[in-house]
């Protein structure tokens, strides 16, 4: 039978229909998928999945559907391929999910043919006749790599997800190339050029002047040397001001070049600070080779930005800077749009900046994902922080040991000691505000957004700032810029902030206060005090205090652990104190608290008889509490965007732009705004703020309706 009879895609060119046949599409997808799977030796399964994924299009029903789109005809074209691969479940899952997402496995004994599970779809019999493909397509025999042949369901599900990524990205790219032949995806680069640019930039640091610069160069040299060590799991424990950003980049690039790896991926905890790191990398390496990808990034119409926009779909770039949310939620997602990038995590150097911010409720699934990338997918991971979270016991469960790049940490931390931490116990808000008033330039970090707002209201208006996530990103960036300028000019600058300022925000205060919290949070606040070492450590005091009945339940155990360490360790900023803190905290919380969603258990035991619940886990796994809605703030800059939203002209690009003017709120806050008629609720459940008096560009969204202090807000 003539394979040209069956079109996979069509496009109109000069009023003529141009057809890509099913066989052409299958072969094109196969070539790409096989190349994507090479780093983890899955070429056989990738080939089989690619050749089977669209065989359902080799049917008269699909031919009618694609040639006559005006007809109300839906054709299931993916189940046929899944049924053909029923003896190879990773391939069957990938093929079945290549449009709608990886399905739950279900139960072959109890599933019915109308279920969306893989088990249900394998039982369907009312599919269009697509047997024509058998006459012109010879299938290879599939075969998983050796590491996946052991009966370990966690390894197996991860492999299935990676195979799925190879298939869907190959499918997208081959289809895109046919539908838009003019599209330009520049996917070739040489990481040696990036390393040369970094070396040229850091050459000016030598010979180092002074003890601190000598230590920074020592860290940099150690990272370059370690870059030629074997692939694996590394830590870089460097105090604030020790130059870990460029040093870790030096390790990553040297390691990638030496081992012929594909890319460097930087994972950062907060969107509020990611642009700072991305800006440094762009300055050093150039605009065109750094992809910054997270919910708040915007791409314009320039040629460079259009290339970056394309690369954001699958992370096919030499340097990727992203958030922990984007990284880990993609690894546990099931939708093709989120998973297509996953195969590009293989054969890569992955740096986890501020590693102490990995969330405890999901720590085990995160550690497992990192371990798998190292063990079976050719990647190296670097945990980079000033407060190393002592994760080695968890990695040892997967046979991985950590290697510290700069082992003489005690000498390093002593050299960079810039503050003195003191504890004053409980204070009232009034007492605290008086203490803050006495300082011209001071940072005070508290646990709750409401506390930050109330405390800031007690301070003089001149040079007063309140930083919380109740401010939209545009205003946060504006205020941080003003804060840095006032600090530089020696003007009054009293900043009350939640913990959002702690993780990597580059500010330098002569004095700081921190409400009692986890020791890592206390030390991160200390990292914003005397950052440049202009004053003696004895003069740069970080005061730890507590406010009556103000400890959120979610961090009470962190506070208990901190109090224990305070009693046993005189120097809280030394590595042994930090290690003791994390070890005791893990004991307090217990193993159950490190996987509160029971993510790993779900893949081992299933959920309610449903095995391999890919779709259910995608809904369940969230790195942060996702029970939030976005309230869009109307400004002169955002009004035109909001007008498009009201008219229903929604697009991914529109939401990216609107994200700069959005505030995430919890349901009770949105209800308070709705009850007073202040918001218009959109079909998505998000809102548009109609009462402009309830948003203050200096304080953020009001009313600040916190439900209780058992929730932890930044």
């Amino acid at each position: 039978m003539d394979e040209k009879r069956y079109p996979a895609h069509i496009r109109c060119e000069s009023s003529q229909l141009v057809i890509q046949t099913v066989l052409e599409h299958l072969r094109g997808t196969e070539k790409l998928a096989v190349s994507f799977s090479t780093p983890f030796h899955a070429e056989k399964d990738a080939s089989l999945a690619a050749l089977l994924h669209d065989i359902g299009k080799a049917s008269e029903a699909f031919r009618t559907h694609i040639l006559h789109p005006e007809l109300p005809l839906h054709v299931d074209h993916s189940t046929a391929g899944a049924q053909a691969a029923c003896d190879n479940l990773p391939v069957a899952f990938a093929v079945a999910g290549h449009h709608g997402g990886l399905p739950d496995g279900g139960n072959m004994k109890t599933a019915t043919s109308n279920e969306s599970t893989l088990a249900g779809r394998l039982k369907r019999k009312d599919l269009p006749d697509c047997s024509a493909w058998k006459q012109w397509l010879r299938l290879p025999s599939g075969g998983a790599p050796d590491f996946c042949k052991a009966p370990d369901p966690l390894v197996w599900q991860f492999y299935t997800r990676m195979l799925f990524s190879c298939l869907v990205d190959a499918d997208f790219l081959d289809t895109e190339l046919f539908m838009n032949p003019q599209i330009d995806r520049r996917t070739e680069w040489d990481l040696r050029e990036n390393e040369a640019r970094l070396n040229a930039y850091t050459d000016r640091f030598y010979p180092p002047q002074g003890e601190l610069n000598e230590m920074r160069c020592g860290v940099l040299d150690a990272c370059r040397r370690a870059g030629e060590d074997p692939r694996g799991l590394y830590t870089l424990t460097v105090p604030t001001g020790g130059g870990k950003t460029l040093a870790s980049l030096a390790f990553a690039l040297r390691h990638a070049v030496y081992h012929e790896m594909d890319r460097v991926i930087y994972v950062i905890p907060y969107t509020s600070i990611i642009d700072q790191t991305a800006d440094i990398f762009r300055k050093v390496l150039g605009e065109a080779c750094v992809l910054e990808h997270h919910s708040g990034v915007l791409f314009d119409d320039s040629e460079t930005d259009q290339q970056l926009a394309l690369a954001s779909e699958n992370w096919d770039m030499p340097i990727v800077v992203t958030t922990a949310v984007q990284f880990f939620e993609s690894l546990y997602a099931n939708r093709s749009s989120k998973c297509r990038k996953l195969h590009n995590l293989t054969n890569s150097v992955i740096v986890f900046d501020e590693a102490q911010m990995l969330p405890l409720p999901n720590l085990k699934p995160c550690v497992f994902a990192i371990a798998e990338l190292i063990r079976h997918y050719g990647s190296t991971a670097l945990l980079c922080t000033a407060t190393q979270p002592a994760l080695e016991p968890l990695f040892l469960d997967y046979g991985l040991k950590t290697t510290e790049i700069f082992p003489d940490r005690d000498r390093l931390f002593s050299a960079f000691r810039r503050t003195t931490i003191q504890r004053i116990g409980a204070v009232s808000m009034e007492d605290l505000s008086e203490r803050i008033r006495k300082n011209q330039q001071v940072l005070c970090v508290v646990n709750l957004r409401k506390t930050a707002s109330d405390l800031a209201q007690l301070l003089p208006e001149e040079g007063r700032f309140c930083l919380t996530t109740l401010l939209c990103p545009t205003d946060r960036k504006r205020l941080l810029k003003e804060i840095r300028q006032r600090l530089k000019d020696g003007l009054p600058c009293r900043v009350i902030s939640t913990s959002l300022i702690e993780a990597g925000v580059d500010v330098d205060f002569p004095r700081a206060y921190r409400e009692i919290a986890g020791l890592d949070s206390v030390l991160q606040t200390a990292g914003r005090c005397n950052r440049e070492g202009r004053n003696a450590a004895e003069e740069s005091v970080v005061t730890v205090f507590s406010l009556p009945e103000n400890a959120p339940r979610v961090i009470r155990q962190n506070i208990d652990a901190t109090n224990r360490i305070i009693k046993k360790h005189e120097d809280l900023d030394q590595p042994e104190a930090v290690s003791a803190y994390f070890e005791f905290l893990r004991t307090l919380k217990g193993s159950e608290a490190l996987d509160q969603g029971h993510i790993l258990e779900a893949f081992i035991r299933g959920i309610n008889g449903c095995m391999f619940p890919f779709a259910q886990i995608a809904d369940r796994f969230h790195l942060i509490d996702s029970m939030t809605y976005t309230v869009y703030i109307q400004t002169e800059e955002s009004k035109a965007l909001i007008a498009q939203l009201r008219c229903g002209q929604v697009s991914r690009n529109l939401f990216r732009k609107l994200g700069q003017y959005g505030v995430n709120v919890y349901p009770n806050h949105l209800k308070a705004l709705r009850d007073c008629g202040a918001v218009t609720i959109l079909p998505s459940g998000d809102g548009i703020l109609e009462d402009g008096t309830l948003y203050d560009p200096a304080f953020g969204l009001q009313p600040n309706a916190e439900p209780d202090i058992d929730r932890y807000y930044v």
Side-chain angles (χ1 to χ4, degrees):
M1 184 171 291
D2 186 4
E3 61 91 5
K4 294 182 179 179
R5 177 173 176 78
Y6 299 107
H9 304 103
I10 58 175
R11 73 171 188 266
C12 189
E13 192 173 284
S14 301
S15 302
Q16 298 291 319
L17 282 184
V18 181
I19 291 176
Q20 181 190 43
T21 68
V22 171
L23 183 59
E24 288 170 341
H25 176 55
L26 297 182
R27 292 295 189 197
T29 302
E30 179 194 26
K31 182 178 180 181
L32 290 169
V34 167
S35 68
F36 296 159
S37 68
T38 299
F40 55 105
H41 312 295
E43 296 94 333
K44 292 180 179 179
D45 275 355
S47 173
L48 183 60
L51 292 177
L52 287 176
H53 82 285
D54 268 358
I55 61 169
K57 291 183 176 181
S59 65
E60 293 300 322
F62 188 83
R63 184 174 186 273
T64 301
H65 163 69
I66 196 170
L67 295 177
H68 300 280
E70 72 280 1
L71 297 177
L73 183 64
H74 171 74
V75 180
D76 176 357
H77 71 270
S78 57
T79 297
Q83 291 183 349
C86 63
D87 293 333
N88 187 323
L89 284 181
V91 172
F93 266 108
V95 171
H98 79 272
H99 274 298
L102 281 172
D104 288 337
N107 187 313
M108 284 302 296
K109 293 181 179 179
T110 62
T112 59
S113 61
N114 61 349
E115 283 185 16
S116 61
T117 64
L118 179 64
R121 292 175 68 174
L122 292 180
K123 291 185 175 182
R124 289 183 188 171
K125 296 181 179 179
D126 56 345
L127 300 175
D129 178 13
C130 62
S131 57
W133 68 270
K134 297 178 181 179
Q135 301 180 39
W136 37 260
L137 183 64
R138 183 181 296 274
L139 290 179
S141 58
D146 290 341
F147 70 80
C148 200
K149 292 177 180 177
D152 185 332
L154 289 177
V155 172
W156 192 90
Q157 66 84 19
F158 201 92
Y159 170 71
T160 300
R161 205 182 298 275
M162 281 295 185
L163 182 66
F164 175 63
S165 172
C166 294
L167 173 61
V168 294
D169 195 31
D171 185 23
F172 272 116
L173 292 174
D174 185 74
T175 302
E176 176 185 82
L177 182 61
F178 171 77
M179 298 300 293
N180 188 0
Q182 289 76 38
I183 202 161
D184 181 18
R185 284 183 179 265
R186 299 174 189 170
T187 58
E188 294 184 5
W189 58 80
D190 189 344
L191 284 173
R192 288 174 295 185
E193 293 180 7
N194 297 113
E195 186 183 26
R197 288 175 187 161
L198 176 63
N199 290 341
Y201 183 86
T202 56
D203 280 349
R204 61 197 179 99
F205 300 159
Y206 297 84
Q209 304 297 313
E211 181 187 4
L212 293 185
N213 284 329
E214 189 174 332
M215 295 297 290
R216 290 186 183 104
C217 288
V219 173
L220 185 60
D221 293 340
C223 284
R224 287 200 177 109
R225 288 193 299 270
E228 298 186 5
D229 290 344
R231 304 185 195 210
L233 176 62
Y234 292 84
T235 58
L236 179 61
T237 311
V238 176
T240 300
K244 64 181 174 63
T245 299
L246 289 180
S248 59
L249 180 62
F251 165 82
L253 287 172
R254 178 85 291 267
H255 197 72
V257 170
Y258 185 80
H259 291 285
E260 299 182 345
M261 300 167 83
D262 294 329
R263 63 187 48 79
V264 172
I265 300 170
Y266 251 78
V267 183
I268 296 176
Y270 290 147
T271 56
S272 58
I273 63 167
I274 193 173
D275 56 334
Q276 182 175 286
T277 300
D279 284 345
I280 293 171
F281 290 172
R282 282 190 286 260
K283 177 183 177 183
V284 176
L285 305 177
E287 294 275 344
C289 64
V290 179
L291 170 65
E292 179 184 354
H293 186 215
H294 54 88
S295 59
V297 72
L298 301 176
F299 300 113
D300 59 30
D301 294 329
S302 68
E303 182 179 353
T304 296
D305 263 28
Q306 289 307 298
Q307 292 294 324
L308 294 174
L310 288 171
S312 70
E313 297 171 352
N314 63 356
W315 288 6
D316 196 7
M317 284 284 286
I319 311 292
V320 178
V321 186
T322 190
T323 60
V325 169
Q326 180 78 236
F327 183 86
F328 287 109
E329 290 192 2
S330 294
L331 278 165
Y332 286 96
N334 75 319
R335 307 296 296 183
S336 56
S337 58
K338 285 192 172 184
C339 290
R340 64 180 289 197
K341 67 174 80 75
L342 297 184
H343 70 88
N344 279 328
L345 305 183
T346 67
N347 199 37
S348 298
V349 184
I350 308 171
V351 180
F352 296 91
D353 196 18
E354 305 294 353
Q356 80 286 350
M357 300 297 293
L358 291 176
L360 282 174
N362 290 297
L363 193 56
K364 282 188 173 180
C366 291
V367 165
F368 168 75
I370 297 170
E372 272 302 278
L373 288 168
I374 296 170
R375 293 195 302 168
H376 298 137
Y377 296 88
S379 294
T380 284
L382 172 62
L383 307 177
C384 189
T385 178
T387 52
Q388 203 61 244
L391 297 176
E392 187 163 22
L394 297 179
F395 280 109
L396 283 173
D397 289 342
Y398 304 106
L400 294 175
K401 292 184 177 181
T402 59
T403 300
E404 172 59 42
I405 289 178
F406 197 90
D408 194 0
R409 293 181 296 175
D410 291 341
R411 185 167 68 93
L412 187 63
F413 275 75
S414 295
F416 279 93
R417 182 174 176 269
R418 294 172 176 165
T419 61
T420 299
I421 299 174
Q422 69 173 21
R423 176 91 185 274
I424 61 172
V427 296
S428 67
M429 289 281 280
E430 292 72 18
D431 181 21
L432 182 60
S433 67
E434 284 301 314
R435 290 171 181 266
I436 293 171
R437 279 171 177 263
K438 294 175 182 178
N439 297 274
Q440 279 283 92
Q441 295 187 334
V442 60
L443 169 66
C444 179
V445 180
V446 295
N447 292 331
L448 298 175
R449 299 186 300 192
K450 188 176 187 307
T451 305
S453 178
D454 291 346
L455 182 58
Q457 298 282 2
L458 298 175
L459 300 177
E461 287 190 25
E462 183 187 3
R464 175 189 69 188
F465 298 89
C466 180
L467 295 178
T468 76
T469 53
L470 289 172
L471 289 159
C472 67
T474 295
D475 284 329
R476 284 206 303 270
K477 291 176 184 177
R478 174 183 56 80
L479 291 176
L480 276 170
K481 182 178 181 181
E482 187 177 346
I483 287 166
R484 292 187 178 107
Q485 191 61 50
R486 292 184 76 89
L487 289 172
K488 181 180 178 181
D489 295 341
L491 297 173
C493 186
R494 301 178 181 92
V495 176
I496 313 299
S497 177
T498 54
S499 62
L500 69 84
I501 202 171
E502 290 176 341
V505 177
D506 188 3
V507 288
D508 184 9
F509 289 85
R511 186 83 163 79
Y513 289 80
R514 185 37 162 118
E515 185 177 5
I516 187 73
L519 180 59
D520 54 328
S521 294
V522 172
L523 295 180
Q524 289 297 328
T525 293
R528 313 308 129 202
C529 179
N530 197 27
R531 190 178 180 88
E532 300 301 325
R534 297 187 179 94
N535 304 311
E538 294 73 24
E539 299 172 1
S540 306
V541 179
V542 178
T543 301
V544 180
F545 63 91
S546 59
L547 293 168
E549 300 179 359
N550 205 53
R553 182 174 58 198
V554 73
I555 63 166
R556 286 176 191 165
Q557 289 179 324
N558 302 63
I559 294 172
D560 290 343
T562 301
N563 286 328
R564 178 186 174 100
I565 299 305
I566 287 173
K567 292 176 182 178
K568 291 194 170 186
H569 293 266
E570 185 175 344
D571 295 326
L572 298 179
D573 56 356
Q574 294 304 301
E576 61 269 18
V578 175
S579 294
Y581 163 77
F582 280 112
E583 287 171 9
F584 182 62
L585 179 62
R586 201 162 51 236
T587 302
L588 274 179
K589 289 186 175 289
S591 178
E592 189 88 358
L594 305 184
D595 186 4
Q596 288 186 4
H598 304 287
I599 303 301
L600 300 185
E601 182 184 351
F603 282 114
I604 295 172
R605 306 183 190 283
I607 299 176
N608 298 324
C610 175
M611 300 306 295
F612 297 101
F614 289 106
Q616 292 183 66
I617 290 303
D619 289 336
R620 180 186 291 190
F621 183 85
H622 298 287
L623 218 61
I624 57 176
D625 190 344
S626 61
M627 281 290 295
T628 61
Y629 298 93
T630 302
V631 173
Y632 296 107
I633 310 302
Q634 299 194 70
T635 67
E636 287 302 317
E637 295 79 11
S638 68
K639 281 182 179 178
L641 299 173
I642 289 175
Q644 294 180 46
L645 190 61
R646 292 185 197 275
C647 294
Q649 301 174 17
V650 296
S651 67
R652 184 182 301 179
N653 191 45
L654 175 63
F655 283 119
R656 276 205 186 108
K657 292 178 179 178
L658 274 172
Q660 297 297 305
Y661 308 97
V663 176
N664 290 333
V665 300
Y666 286 84
N668 67 303
H669 194 166
L670 185 65
K671 181 178 183 299
L673 293 167
R674 184 189 63 210
D675 289 349
C676 67
V679 295
T680 295
I681 303 298
L682 299 165
S684 63
D686 298 326
I688 298 171
L689 186 67
E690 307 291 359
D691 185 350
T693 65
L694 294 180
Y695 184 83
D696 185 334
F699 280 84
L701 184 61
Q702 305 295 320
N704 187 5
E706 306 284 23
D708 53 55
I709 63 169
D710 287 336
R711 302 295 288 271
Y712 189 39
Y713 296 88
V714 296

